[in-house]
Amino acid sequence: MEDFRYRQIEQNLMQQIASGTLGPGARLPSLRHVSLRSRVAVSTVLQAYAELERKGVIESRPRSGFFVRRDVQELPPTPRPPRPVLRPHTINRSELISSVLETVGDRELLPLGINCPSEELLPYRELAKVAARLSREDPKRQVAYLPVEGSPELRRQLSLRAAQAGLDVRPEEIIITCGALEALHVAVRSLVRPGDNVLIQAPSYFCFQQLLENQGVRSIEIPSHPRHGVQPADVERALGRFDIRACIFTPNFNNPDGSLTPDDAKAEIVRLLAARGIPLIEDDVAGDLHFGPTRPSVFKMYDQDGLVVLCSSFSKTLCPGYRIGWIMPGRFYREAYEVKATTNVCSATVTQETVAAYLREGRYDRHLRALRRTLREQTQAMQLHVGRTFPEGTRVARPEGGGVLWVELPRGVDSVELMYRAREEGIGIAPGTIFATQDRFAGHVRLNCGNPWSEEVARGIERLGGLVHGMVSGGA
């Protein structure tokens, strides 16, 4: 309980500092004052202050108290909303995307370019114990095939979780996949054909683009506002101009800009598409990573016609290496089943059964609460550190969930060049260019907030900021 209270105090102070309520050089309330106001022990308040000092946000002065560091500024403005040109594009970013993907699993690089929580934040020991127990109890079962659609118990647990989120999806309406990417692959292959037009938001996850490119599909981009996500008016405008065969949207904490599409906008978009019979592929891998008190709704909650195909996974919340994802294909179940069956027959048995048991035993929600709290703290620390170490003209997103931070660099700084310079410094980043078909984000980067805040991460951000300073001033 005391651990929770100290984190609450830290969060409240971090918000006041980020908003400018406590400006650079401002003195923080005394330990005793906060102790009395919050009804906690002085030691609990001291723990919160010590954590903020460790993150480089405040500093202690002998016999004077704690102060906001003078080099801490209000957060920079948010990135400007994009205005993509509304026309079909054949995508070709494969070489650059491959260069970014080369850094996956590279232990020599500070992993700021890959959207993945650190192993330290995941319950790997608990999962290992569950897997070992299942192998002892029924070793034969762990080496056998499961049905094409996946573990019955895992699908039952996912159905229960869907019900908690307001969705009525039966276990037999779910297909387990090898991560969310295979779920998206199954969805795209089920719904579109070469030459079709697919509506996507920009920026959006670069693997969407690769999937569409591999299918010979043309993408039409509409803007993703850094705070409000996809807007119904932009969807309606595109529908009026083009023969759209499907859409791919990430309404909850879009990768890379972290945007959250409001519930009323979600409902209106589903209505617009249903009136034309157009299917919507929904990527909800980050929906459980909300920083606020409640989980945001999904497009599928407003679906009355089975046209929303929801894809998700545990890769951002529980076990990236287990490759457990799923698809809720709605009226396209038969098509999705056939694609899955002819792609890899079924997903791995051991990992499915392990996750199913972990969920059944009620451990996931407790883990999620801790993970969300930590990601929120790490995101805020990174926002402040970028604001302090990057040059004037930098803009930083304000995500309300997820695990990434979208940063707009000062004018004239090329994110691809920055990526290669950063790699020479032992830092991995994702350049904005790969998140759209048009060259609208050459001056943006996506940073991973999934690493526990440490001196190494802080120094990495400082080095990155130094590189940006050098590129702004024309240095080598």
Side-chain angles (χ1 to χ4, degrees), residues 95 408 471:
E95 187 174 340
E408 182 180 346
M471 294 171 73

Side-chain angles (χ1 to χ4, degrees), residues 148 175-186 312-315 320-327 340 343-344 346-348 351-352:
V148 171
I175 297 174
I176 304 302
T177 60
C178 185
L181 189 55
E182 188 188 37
L184 292 161
H185 173 81
V186 169
S312 192
S313 79
F314 289 113
S315 295
Y322 277 28
R323 311 308 303 134
I324 299 295
W326 60 91
I327 181 171
K340 171 64 180 177
T343 300
N344 58 13
C346 65
S347 297
T351 53
Q352 287 191 65

Side-chain angles (χ1 to χ4, degrees), residues 167 270 274 298-309 329-331:
L167 289 178
V270 171
V298 291
F299 280 125
K300 197 166 183 66
M301 187 177 295
Y302 309 101
D303 179 26
Q304 302 296 318
D305 303 288
L307 286 167
V308 176
V309 178
R331 69 163 67 171

Side-chain angles (χ1 to χ4, degrees), residues 97 226 344 462:
I97 291 171
N344 58 13
E462 289 167 10

Side-chain angles (χ1 to χ4, degrees), residues 23 66 79 110 119 163-164 168 200 212 236 243 249 262 271 316 343 385 411 417 428:
F66 289 87
L110 181 64
E119 295 92 334
Q164 294 172 7
D168 181 17
I200 64 174
L212 298 179
E236 189 169 25
D243 178 20
F249 295 146
R271 186 194 67 78
K316 309 306 179 191
T343 300
H385 217 58
R411 292 187 184 278
E417 182 183 356

Side-chain angles (χ1 to χ4, degrees), residues 74-82 225-228 257 383 393-400 405-409 444:
E74 291 183 37
L75 291 183
T78 58
R80 289 176 284 252
H225 190 283
R227 290 195 68 84
H228 309 303
D257 64 7
Q383 287 172 321
T394 301
R395 292 171 173 260
V396 180
R398 311 283 200 279
E400 297 177 44
L405 189 64
W406 188 232
V407 179
E408 182 180 346
L409 303 169
H444 294 67

Side-chain angles (χ1 to χ4, degrees), residues 6-20 48 51-52 54-58 68 71-76 227 289-292 371-389 396-407 447-454 457-458 461:
Y6 105 75
R7 289 181 181 276
Q8 273 192 321
I9 293 167
E10 180 194 352
Q11 283 296 315
N12 290 337
L13 289 169
M14 184 77 90
Q15 289 171 3
Q16 292 181 58
I17 294 167
S19 67
E51 185 63 19
L52 287 172
R54 187 181 71 83
K55 291 175 178 175
V57 178
I58 68 174
V68 180
D71 56 356
V72 168
Q73 305 170 0
E74 291 183 37
L75 291 183
R227 290 195 68 84
L289 297 178
H290 52 93
F291 297 159
L371 179 62
R372 286 196 295 261
R373 183 176 63 236
T374 302
L375 286 176
R376 180 180 179 179
E377 292 172 359
Q378 292 169 185
T379 300
Q380 290 179 332
M382 187 168 287
Q383 287 172 321
L384 288 168
H385 217 58
V386 168
R388 188 169 70 206
T389 59
V396 180
R398 311 283 200 279
E400 297 177 44
V404 295
L405 189 64
W406 188 232
V407 179
L447 302 178
N448 173 31
C449 300
N451 304 294
W453 192 256
S454 64
V457 173
I461 295 295

Side-chain angles (χ1 to χ4, degrees), residues 195-396:
D196 284 350
N197 294 325
V198 172
L199 195 63
I200 64 174
Q201 64 200 98
S204 63
Y205 181 38
F206 54 79
C207 282
F208 293 171
Q209 301 169 31
Q210 284 190 309
L211 282 173
L212 298 179
E213 181 181 358
N214 292 338
Q215 286 296 106
V217 172
R218 297 186 301 175
S219 69
I220 296 172
E221 295 179 333
I222 59 174
S224 174
H225 190 283
R227 290 195 68 84
H228 309 303
V230 182
Q231 298 297 290
D234 292 318
V235 175
E236 189 169 25
R237 190 177 302 115
L239 295 178
R241 290 186 56 183
F242 300 99
D243 178 20
I244 305 295
R245 293 300 175 134
C247 304
I248 305 178
F249 295 146
T250 307
N252 296 329
F253 319 123
N254 176 47
N255 175 10
D257 64 7
S259 61
L260 175 63
T261 301
D263 288 351
D264 57 348
K266 290 172 185 167
E268 178 63 11
I269 289 169
V270 171
R271 186 194 67 78
L272 287 169
L273 297 175
R276 297 164 174 81
I278 299 172
L280 167 58
I281 301 170
E282 176 174 18
D283 174 24
D284 190 49
V285 295
D288 277 340
L289 297 178
H290 52 93
F291 297 159
T294 58
R295 193 194 198 283
S297 68
V298 291
F299 280 125
K300 197 166 183 66
M301 187 177 295
Y302 309 101
D303 179 26
Q304 302 296 318
D305 303 288
L307 286 167
V308 176
V309 178
L310 188 146
C311 302
S312 192
S313 79
F314 289 113
S315 295
K316 309 306 179 191
T317 59
L318 185 65
C319 46
Y322 277 28
R323 311 308 303 134
I324 299 295
W326 60 91
I327 181 171
M328 299 175 179
R331 69 163 67 171
F332 308 102
Y333 184 91
R334 178 46 53 187
E335 294 90 335
Y337 181 96
E338 290 176 359
V339 172
K340 171 64 180 177
T342 56
T343 300
N344 58 13
V345 182
C346 65
S347 297
T349 299
V350 175
T351 53
Q352 287 191 65
E353 299 289 26
T354 299
V355 172
Y358 184 85
L359 294 175
R360 185 177 60 246
E361 293 165 12
R363 307 184 189 198
Y364 185 54
D365 284 318
R366 183 178 68 251
H367 160 67
L368 271 182
R369 286 192 293 272
L371 179 62
R372 286 196 295 261
R373 183 176 63 236
T374 302
L375 286 176
R376 180 180 179 179
E377 292 172 359
Q378 292 169 185
T379 300
Q380 290 179 332
M382 187 168 287
Q383 287 172 321
L384 288 168
H385 217 58
V386 168
R388 188 169 70 206
T389 59
F390 279 51
E392 185 177 353
T394 301
R395 292 171 173 260
V396 180

